[in-house]
Amino acid sequence: MQILYFAWVREKIGRAGDDIALPPGVTDIAGLMRHLAALSPGHAAAFANPTAIRAAINQDFARPEDAVTNGDEVAFFPPVTGG
Amino acid sequence: MQILYFAWVREKIGRAGDDIALPPGVTDIAGLMRHLAALSPGHAAAFANPTAIRAAINQDFARPEDAVTNGDEVAFFPPVTGG
Amino acid sequence: MARIAVQEAEFDVSAETALLTAGRRDIGAVASFIGICRADDGLAAMVLEHYPAMTERAMQKIAAEAQSRWPLTGCTLIHRVGRLEPGAPIVLVLTASAHRQAALESCAFLMDWLKTKAPFWKREEFTQGAARWVEARAEDDAAAQKW
Amino acid sequence: MARIAVQEAEFDVSAETALLTAGRRDIGAVASFIGICRADDGLAAMVLEHYPAMTERAMQKIAAEAQSRWPLTGCTLIHRVGRLEPGAPIVLVLTASAHRQAALESCAFLMDWLKTKAPFWKREEFTQGAARWVEARAEDDAAAQKW
């Protein structure tokens, strides 16, 4: 599945995304964040405070408990600051 | 003193203003309206319902009880409808 | 600090925005409102009359009131007079501030007060030949008084 | 019915107003809001990043929400991305309706929701060389939730 990072999440991880296979047992955004946090020190830094991160599943805002599947595009980013 | 009329007040009276001397005993906007109403049938029609008329003294909105003196420019008109 | 104009000519909101913001780096928000002549009920044209000696003075007082209530860097009020056909812009209110709430609220305030405290009168001409003076609306008075 | 754009180029509020009102005689009110980059605290520039696949979709949803809440004849949302210096316009919201309250309220609503529900992020660069990501503000969340 395609994972995308924006703003300081992208900067801490050092790249704009990851292409991963969803591991068994990971079923929602919260679980996916825990899985990604273990991938590298940059990922660990980015996901150190999960409440500071927002997510989108297939270009719609998602909550920590929302389900993810292998075909999804999932994005992680800070709270938005446009306008 | 200079009296000015606008909108349907002007149309009913048939002219844009009157130049009058303030008669003795007329001291406020309400009294001036009663005086003007007696000048012609057009004036009578225009001032038939004083509560439908607004006034200004020297280019500031005025109330019926506000004092008028001979040097004033006094205007009478319907409630405003700009914007 | 307010730019006030009463004119027959059309106005240009981009040009007015440029004037209001020229040379400044402390403006974060510009709100604007344009009132436009609608073709309701077979309206052919609207004729706007005003009280020339009083109009700009009344508009300056309204602008000063907005500037006393909100931290504006400036505002612009332009009201057209004369004969306006459906689709024609009638009035422009522009407000500038560091922050959006001040710009948006003061813009709404200025329109509500312009409608009830500036000496303009609208006469409507209809395609069938009839004409009538627009009557003041109680809801406009209520809108002006809520501020 | 909404015109949505995400672009690096500047926008022109007069041209956008003309697009929004072209050929119509039922529009009585156009409200607009322009957000501008301020030079606070020695800001040299702001860099706006977004999530391209999601941005226009999110903006369409915000516009649809406004159109479900107010009787709009149309609205326009333009958000710039890339590097913007102090004085540069960032965002334009335009709303059109028969009446002023719908135009003004929906314009304020659209700005509050754009600030909190569209995937844009601002990075500030300062004249001294420092840079930081702008943090979301609780008061923006509160403004969005009051609608």
Side-chain angles (χ1 to χ4, degrees):
Chain A
M1 66 194 303
Q2 195 66 37
I3 312 290
L4 300 173
Y5 308 120
F6 294 97
W8 58 251
V9 177
R10 174 179 49 71
E11 285 189 338
K12 289 191 188 209
I13 292 173
R15 55 179 182 259
D18 284 300
D19 193 355
I20 65 163
L22 193 64
V26 174
T27 60
D28 61 15
I29 289 289
L32 183 55
M33 282 203 271
R34 286 191 296 272
H35 170 70
L36 293 168
L39 292 185
S40 79
H43 287 79
F47 290 103
N49 178 10
T51 64
I53 308 271
R54 300 291 176 270
I57 301 173
N58 300 322
Q59 300 92 45
D60 277 320
F61 287 107
R63 294 157 303 177
E65 65 271 27
D66 285 339
V68 293
T69 60
N70 237 322
D72 291 337
E73 174 177 295
V74 178
F76 294 100
F77 41 75
V80 303
T81 57
Chain B
M1 67 194 301
Q2 196 65 37
I3 312 290
L4 300 174
Y5 308 121
F6 294 97
W8 58 251
V9 177
R10 174 179 48 73
E11 285 189 339
K12 289 192 188 205
I13 293 173
R15 54 180 183 259
D18 284 300
D19 192 356
I20 64 163
L22 194 63
V26 172
T27 58
D28 60 15
I29 289 289
L32 183 56
M33 282 203 271
R34 285 190 298 272
H35 171 70
L36 293 168
L39 292 186
S40 79
H43 287 78
F47 290 104
N49 178 10
T51 64
I53 308 271
R54 300 293 176 269
I57 302 173
N58 299 325
Q59 301 92 43
D60 277 320
F61 287 107
R63 294 158 303 176
E65 64 272 26
D66 284 340
V68 292
T69 59
N70 237 323
D72 292 338
E73 172 178 296
V74 179
F76 293 101
F77 41 76
V80 303
T81 57
Chain C
M1 252 194 349
R3 167 162 149 68
I4 307 287
V6 179
Q7 62 191 43
E8 293 194 10
E10 199 160 332
F11 44 76
D12 182 294
V13 61
S14 290
E16 294 299 335
T17 302
L19 263 183
L20 191 62
T21 58
R24 300 200 69 130
R25 293 153 58 97
D26 57 344
I27 296 175
V30 173
S32 85
F33 181 86
I34 300 174
I36 298 170
C37 180
R38 288 195 314 271
D40 292 2
D41 307 323
L43 184 86
M46 200 169 254
V47 180
L48 269 140
E49 175 174 334
H50 73 125
Y51 177 2
M54 178 175 173
T55 316
E56 295 198 17
R57 175 191 176 92
M59 291 166 77
Q60 286 287 4
K61 287 170 77 170
I62 294 167
E65 184 67 30
Q67 288 173 322
S68 78
R69 294 184 184 211
W70 288 275
L72 304 182
T73 61
C75 70
T76 299
L77 306 180
I78 302 179
H79 206 300
R80 295 177 74 189
V81 292
R83 191 168 191 278
L84 299 172
E85 296 185 356
I90 303 168
V91 60
L92 171 68
V93 170
L94 266 181
T95 54
S97 179
H99 299 291
R100 75 185 184 285
Q101 194 185 355
L104 287 163
E105 284 184 4
S106 61
C107 185
F109 165 85
L110 284 163
M111 270 312 299
D112 284 341
W113 275 39
L114 267 180
K115 284 211 166 250
T116 54
K117 297 178 198 288
F120 294 95
W121 300 275
K122 287 191 187 111
R123 183 178 163 83
E124 295 176 328
E125 299 176 354
F126 296 92
T127 48
Q128 300 298 319
R132 69 169 178 219
W133 290 94
V134 173
E135 284 186 45
R137 301 184 319 154
E139 66 196 84
D140 285 336
D141 286 331
Q145 267 158 27
K146 78 170 189 281
W147 295 101
Chain D
M1 251 193 348
R3 167 162 149 66
I4 307 286
V6 180
Q7 62 191 41
E8 293 195 8
E10 199 160 335
F11 45 75
D12 182 293
V13 62
S14 289
E16 294 298 335
T17 302
L19 263 182
L20 189 63
T21 58
R24 299 200 70 131
R25 292 152 58 97
D26 57 343
I27 296 175
V30 172
S32 86
F33 180 87
I34 299 174
I36 298 170
C37 180
R38 289 194 314 270
D40 292 1
D41 307 322
L43 185 85
M46 199 168 254
V47 180
L48 268 140
E49 175 174 333
H50 73 125
Y51 177 3
M54 178 176 173
T55 315
E56 294 199 16
R57 175 192 177 93
M59 290 167 77
Q60 286 287 2
K61 287 170 77 172
I62 294 166
E65 185 67 29
Q67 289 173 322
S68 78
R69 294 183 185 211
W70 288 275
L72 304 182
T73 61
C75 70
T76 300
L77 307 180
I78 302 179
H79 206 300
R80 295 177 74 190
V81 291
R83 191 169 192 276
L84 299 172
E85 295 185 355
I90 302 169
V91 60
L92 171 69
V93 170
L94 265 181
T95 55
S97 179
H99 300 289
R100 74 185 185 285
Q101 192 184 356
L104 287 163
E105 283 184 5
S106 61
C107 184
F109 164 85
L110 284 163
M111 270 311 300
D112 284 342
W113 275 39
L114 266 180
K115 283 211 167 251
T116 54
K117 297 176 196 290
F120 293 95
W121 300 274
K122 288 190 187 113
R123 183 178 164 82
E124 295 175 328
E125 299 175 356
F126 296 91
T127 48
Q128 301 298 321
R132 70 170 178 221
W133 291 95
V134 173
E135 282 186 47
R137 301 184 319 154
E139 65 195 86
D140 286 336
D141 286 331
Q145 267 158 27
K146 77 170 190 281
W147 294 101

